[in-house]
Amino acid sequence: MAETDATASTADAAAKSHFTKAMEEAKAGLQAVTDSYREKLKASTAEFSAEAKARTADAQTKADGYAAQAKEKAVDLANEGKTRTSQAIVGLSKLLDDNLDTIDDKVGVRYGDYARSTSQAMKDTAGKLDEKSLEDLGNDAKEFVRTSPVLALGMAMAAGYMIGRVLKKG
């Protein structure tokens, strides 16, 4: 019986040893599979990150291009508006000049002189408007608002009211 116990004990030890080796091999295999998947995940993440960076750079380039186009178009429209405003002021001045004789006759020479000085002031203003750049006009507007905020607000409100009335009738 002692021999049977010894044989059983040796068999148990061999089985345990075999089981331990099998477990170590399974752990090593599992570690190899895990490492392989980690490497694949790192490569996929790096590839995804590179793709995302490339797309972001492409989108930024396109956005910058659109912004430059929009800025150029805005400058063109602002210059066109400045030119039209100057032309409108000159047109009003000419209309006033064309009616100076009528003003002299119907209202009086004194008011005709006021109309002449107003017409000249309008021509001078149109000339100054033509001479200034958009940047200079913007700086002048900022300075005006800074020095006379109440007057600027009142003018903006009056302009808004008039535009609202014109649009409401249309």
Side-chain angles (χ1 to χ4, degrees):
M1 202 45 134
E3 199 178 292
T4 310
D5 285 340
T7 305
S9 178
T10 305
D12 282 346
K16 285 181 182 178
S17 173
H18 184 52
F19 180 75
T20 303
K21 278 185 177 181
M23 286 299 291
E24 287 175 5
E25 287 177 12
K27 284 181 183 178
L30 181 61
Q31 186 64 42
V33 168
T34 302
D35 290 344
S36 172
Y37 279 116
R38 279 188 182 144
E39 289 302 316
K40 287 180 183 178
L41 181 62
K42 284 181 184 178
S44 294
T45 302
E47 185 179 313
F48 177 76
S49 179
E51 178 74 18
K53 286 179 182 177
R55 289 188 182 199
T56 300
D58 185 45
Q60 184 64 46
T61 301
K62 286 180 181 178
D64 290 344
Y66 291 141
Q69 288 176 354
K71 183 178 179 180
E72 184 179 317
K73 184 69 174 175
V75 168
D76 289 345
L77 289 173
N79 279 323
E80 184 179 328
K82 182 181 91 152
T83 301
R84 285 186 179 185
T85 301
S86 177
Q87 289 171 348
I89 292 171
V90 168
L92 285 173
S93 173
K94 286 181 181 178
L95 180 67
L96 200 54
D97 285 341
D98 292 343
N99 291 300
L100 284 175
D101 291 335
T102 306
I103 294 171
D104 284 341
D105 292 341
K106 297 211 176 194
V107 184
V109 176
R110 184 170 143 202
Y111 290 103
D113 290 341
Y114 289 145
R116 282 180 190 80
S117 65
T118 301
S119 174
Q120 187 58 47
M122 291 171 79
K123 288 176 190 171
D124 293 343
T125 299
K128 288 177 185 175
L129 184 61
D130 284 338
E131 292 172 2
K132 288 193 175 193
S133 69
L134 290 175
E135 186 177 328
D136 291 339
L137 291 173
N139 290 336
D140 289 349
K142 286 178 189 176
E143 185 61 29
F144 175 74
V145 170
R146 197 173 298 122
T147 57
S148 304
V150 175
L151 183 58
L153 181 62
M155 290 171 63
M157 289 173 54
Y161 176 77
M162 290 172 50
I163 291 171
R165 296 295 293 176
V166 167
L167 293 177
K168 190 174 182 180
K169 288 181 181 182

